[in-house]
């Protein structure tokens, strides 16, 4: 499937698609393991799970099921540690800033749809100072239904003054592609992102797949 002929907006998932934040989560998970007397774990295993959020990282790092009595305490501890280093090691993926600049030159808006809460998203974007800034940022706490529900993306489209058929959504998780497809958007699976072992992004139902962030420009703009 070809990208929209009348492309008006490109919307990105945040972690693992627009910005590489994994290094910070590796630091946090290893710190929590150290607090519990555990040895460091394979950083690549942590990286692969970043897109699944804080709950998954607590379970992964501490081998702690969500129903455990201390789970919520540890989840809050992870977020506390993350907020202390947020934006210190994260950076846009290669080619992203150049792509955003060219989108602006062509009069194409861009936005973000993330399941990350706003209190973490805003300071991250402020510290990264990505230019031009996003025309729409929709976080988990801005909607009643998180991705894979399409509510976030439909709000992006309203704020960017385009129809879903005039937009592309790029994401590195099945829920991203499901949300984009349900919204009626063209979808691109970011295979370069945080993919769990055994997961196959080529089965998610995306219109296209990109294995390197530097290839996004040609895929989107031709």
């Amino acid at each position: 499937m070809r990208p929209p002929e009348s492309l008006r907006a490109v919307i990105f998932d945040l972690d693992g698609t627009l910005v590489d934040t994994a290094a910070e989560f590796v630091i946090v998970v290893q710190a929590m393991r150290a607090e519990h007397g555990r040895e460091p774990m394979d950083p690549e295993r942590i990286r692969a799970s970043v897109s699944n959020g804080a709950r998954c990282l607590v379970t992964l790092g501490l081998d702690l099921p969500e129903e455990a009595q201390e789970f919520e305490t540890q989840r809050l501890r992870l977020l506390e540690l993350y907020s202390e280093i947020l934006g210190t090691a994260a950076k846009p993926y290669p080619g992203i800033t150049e792509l955003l600049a060219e989108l602006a030159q062509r009069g194409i808006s861009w936005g973000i749809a993330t399941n990350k809460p706003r209190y973490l998203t805003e300071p991250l974007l402020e510290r990264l100072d990505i230019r031009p800034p996003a025309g729409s940022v929709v976080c988990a706490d801005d909607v009643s239904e998180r991705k894979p529900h399409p509510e976030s993306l439909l709000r992006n489209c309203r704020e960017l003054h385009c129809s879903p058929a005039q937009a592309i959504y790029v994401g590195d998780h099945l829920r991203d592609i499901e949300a984009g497809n349900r919204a009626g958007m063209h979808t691109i699976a970011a295979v370069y992102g945080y993919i769990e072992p055994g997961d196959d992004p080529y089965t998610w139902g995306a219109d296209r797949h990109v294995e390197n962030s530097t290839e996004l420009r040609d895929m989107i703009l031709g």
Side-chain angles (χ1 to χ4, degrees):
M1 182 175 178
R2 293 178 58 81
E5 294 291 341
S6 56
L7 180 62
R8 295 283 303 278
V10 180
I11 303 167
F12 301 86
D13 175 49
L14 184 55
D15 299 69
T17 302
L18 185 76
V19 177
D20 187 355
T21 56
E24 295 173 358
F25 286 105
V26 169
I27 293 170
V28 167
V29 172
Q30 304 290 34
M32 290 186 68
R33 288 179 65 83
E35 288 179 351
H36 290 260
R38 293 171 175 254
E39 294 293 322
M41 68 184 303
D42 180 3
E44 290 305 310
R45 183 66 190 89
I46 301 171
R47 168 178 285 271
S49 295
V50 168
S51 283
N52 285 320
R55 292 182 177 277
C56 176
L57 291 174
V58 170
T59 297
L60 174 70
L62 299 181
D63 193 25
L64 192 66
E66 289 196 31
E67 58 271 18
Q69 184 176 358
E70 66 270 32
F71 183 88
E72 182 61 12
T73 299
Q74 297 306 322
R75 186 186 72 85
L76 294 175
R77 176 60 176 157
L78 182 143
L79 293 175
E80 177 187 20
L81 290 171
Y82 175 56
S83 66
E84 292 172 359
I85 64 168
L86 184 150
T88 58
K91 55 187 177 181
Y93 278 98
I96 290 293
T97 54
E98 294 82 359
L99 169 60
L100 298 180
E102 187 163 352
L103 289 174
Q105 290 172 1
R106 298 194 184 199
I108 300 170
S109 302
W110 77 277
I112 295 170
T114 177
N115 280 351
K116 202 184 194 82
R118 184 163 289 277
Y119 85 94
L120 295 174
T121 298
E122 285 188 343
L124 174 61
L125 293 176
E126 288 172 4
R127 291 168 191 175
L128 292 175
D129 194 28
I130 299 173
R131 298 292 168 179
S136 171
V137 178
V138 180
C139 302
D141 35 350
D142 297 326
V143 293
S144 57
E145 298 283 351
R146 295 155 53 112
K147 297 178 295 182
H149 195 282
E151 182 181 354
S152 299
L153 297 177
L154 296 175
R155 176 166 171 169
N156 284 131
C157 290
R158 290 194 300 273
E159 294 179 355
L160 295 173
H161 309 292
C162 70
S163 71
Q166 295 172 315
I168 292 173
Y169 187 49
V170 189
D172 71 319
H173 196 280
L174 172 61
R175 66 172 166 266
D176 296 319
I177 304 307
E178 288 182 346
N181 288 341
R182 291 170 66 183
M185 301 172 65
H186 184 91
T187 54
I188 298 177
V191 181
Y192 60 82
Y194 308 141
I195 312 297
E196 287 275 8
D199 197 359
D200 182 3
Y202 291 90
T203 66
W204 295 348
D207 295 306
R208 290 191 172 192
H209 306 79
V210 60
E211 296 191 0
N212 191 305
S213 58
T214 59
E215 299 170 4
L216 266 174
R217 184 267 171 207
D218 289 343
M219 184 171 291
I220 292 172
L221 297 175

